[in-house]
Amino acid sequence: MTVEQLFEVLKRAQESKGFYFNQDKSRVFDLLQGLLTNKSRYGYMCCPCRLAAEDRERDRDIICPCVYREADVAEYGSCYCNLYVSREWNDGTMPHVYVPERRPLEKRLPL
């Protein structure tokens, strides 16, 4: 699958749920390439902005879209890596602030 194909598939699937791609298409394509690289590397598309444990079960929470996305977008208008955003975030009608990491520390540390 190419980055462009992944973009189209995810755009259709996620916009109907109220999640939009960041309007910075270059950033989006870089992140989507990271997802494809991780799929090739690990066998699943884990978040390219986080360290993977290379264990699908341990990384289940960061398989894109990660389990933290909904809360991040609801509170900050953007997910942690700024891939998925709200319409208001893209429109500039809400501030673009730092999205803190919600993933528990024990999941971020090596085994």
Side-chain angles (χ1 to χ4, degrees):
M1 178 176 282
T2 68
V3 170
E4 293 81 7
Q5 290 168 326
L6 183 59
F7 177 87
E8 291 303 324
V9 167
L10 293 178
K11 183 176 186 205
R12 280 192 306 274
Q14 299 304 317
E15 282 190 357
S16 64
K17 298 174 185 173
F19 298 101
Y20 302 88
F21 281 134
N22 184 329
Q23 63 188 0
D24 181 346
K25 204 165 186 179
S26 174
R27 178 168 177 83
V28 168
F29 275 45
D30 286 347
L31 290 166
L32 294 178
Q33 183 58 59
L35 289 172
L36 291 173
T37 298
N38 284 345
K39 178 150 177 70
S40 174
R41 185 180 291 153
Y42 307 125
Y44 51 94
M45 291 194 300
C46 60
C47 179
C49 299
R50 295 178 166 107
L51 292 176
E54 301 181 41
D55 175 322
R56 186 182 189 98
E57 189 57 38
R58 183 171 166 88
D59 291 335
R60 182 172 300 284
D61 63 323
I62 60 169
I63 294 175
C64 191
C66 73
V67 300
Y68 312 105
R69 176 188 69 169
E70 189 170 339
D72 285 348
V73 173
E75 186 171 350
Y76 300 103
S78 171
C79 70
Y80 179 68
C81 61
N82 301 135
L83 176 62
Y84 290 108
V85 300
S86 67
R87 185 183 312 257
E88 296 78 17
W89 196 92
N90 262 345
D91 292 345
T93 57
M94 70 179 303
H96 294 186
V97 298
Y98 172 76
V99 178
E101 174 64 278
R102 289 181 192 265
R103 193 173 199 215
L105 185 58
E106 62 272 8
K107 288 239 179 189
R108 292 184 265 157
L109 297 175
L111 295 174

